Amino acid sequence: MNIDWGSPAAHAFITNVGIITSNGPIGANAMAAEWTHQISYSPGLIAVAISNHNDATAENIRATKEFGVNLAATDQDVASSISGKSSGKNIDKIAVLKELGFAFYAGKKIASPMLENASLNVECKLVHEVKLGSHTLFVGEAVDVRVGAKEPLAFHAGKYWKLDTPIQKPSDAERTKMKAMVAAYVRE
Ligand SMILES: Cc1cc2nc3c(=O)[nH]c(=O)nc-3n(C[C@H](O)[C@H](O)[C@H](O)COP(=O)(O)O)c2cc1C
């Protein structure tokens, strides 16, 4: 069965807001991708699921075998909206973002522009492309990492969110009880 865009099931997830930058036949471009996840520590791999509707980003990545992952910070929701609501095939979104005051730096190891003041910037070289259902997974290996000072923006139920209240850890007494309970269920 499907889990459709905007459905209650799809809205149950909490995701990142990746601004995926690329620079290829379409020109320099940025797209928003909530399906941006680290999937390996060693080597550092990041997977981005991009719709099979022939987006500009997919075309740029296929041609250049590289892309930038920029995790939007809590004050960069507008950058996500601009990057996510039109295609680089028609609009120079990097120019729009610059006009709005967002800055970019030149990638060190890749030709894509990288978003300044993001929570995280990772320059990636494409290592796998896997077509899955409605989307294709582009897996990139990290070749340059820059950790920003700002908190990452979260996406949930079609809205942008700021994470600000960590859940309190159980007390020592509760943790001792939990440990004992786990120990009581060791498989023979
Ligand atoms: C918050 C947000 C998250 C999005 N996440 C994804 C995603 O994970 N994968 C995807 O293919 N499109 C996603 N989109 C839609 C793309 O950003 C959109 O199709 C965009 O126009 C593609 O740009 P391009 O043609 O320049 O590559 C998202 C849009 C928004 C606003």
Side-chain angles (χ1 to χ4, degrees):
M1 62 185 288
N2 293 347
I3 298 177
D4 291 321
W5 183 85
S7 65
H11 274 181
F13 289 88
I14 299 174
T15 53
N16 300 299
V17 181
I19 307 286
I20 308 305
T21 47
S22 58
N23 193 0
I26 304 293
N29 191 35
M31 81 167 269
E34 58 160 322
W35 288 344
T36 300
H37 302 284
Q38 179 175 354
I39 56 163
S40 160
Y41 292 127
S42 175
L45 298 177
I46 298 183
V48 184
I50 300 181
S51 143
N52 298 332
H53 293 306
N54 220 5
D55 292 300
T57 300
E59 203 170 318
N60 270 353
I61 297 174
R62 282 194 183 105
T64 61
K65 311 283 182 232
E66 58 185 37
F67 56 96
V69 171
N70 309 266
L71 286 192
T74 46
D75 58 357
Q76 293 180 323
D77 54 301
V78 168
S80 168
S81 298
I82 296 289
S83 311
K85 292 196 172 140
S86 59
S87 175
K89 288 192 169 165
N90 314 308
I91 306 284
D92 181 349
K93 292 183 269 187
I94 300 284
V96 177
L97 291 171
K98 284 183 179 168
E99 182 96 18
L100 282 166
F102 294 99
F104 291 85
Y105 65 93
K108 287 187 210 147
K109 305 263 175 68
I110 64 173
S112 311
M114 302 295 290
L115 182 64
E116 287 279 9
N117 300 311
S119 281
L120 178 70
N121 302 100
V122 185
E123 297 178 27
C124 292
K125 293 280 186 186
L126 183 71
V127 289
H128 297 287
E129 179 183 335
V130 188
K131 192 169 183 287
L132 306 162
S134 59
H135 283 57
T136 295
L137 210 56
F138 290 86
V139 179
E141 181 167 341
V143 290
D144 190 82
V145 174
R146 178 162 140 176
V147 181
K150 293 186 175 176
E151 267 182 63
L153 184 65
F155 194 65
H156 170 65
K159 292 186 187 130
Y160 299 109
W161 299 77
K162 180 177 167 22
L163 299 175
D164 62 359
T165 316
I167 303 291
Q168 202 146 17
K169 277 189 176 175
S171 66
D172 285 350
E174 283 168 324
R175 279 154 73 180
T176 304
K177 203 171 138 191
M178 285 156 57
K179 254 190 183 171
M181 202 171 282
V182 171
Y185 285 92
V186 170
R187 289 189 200 276
E188 295 308 321

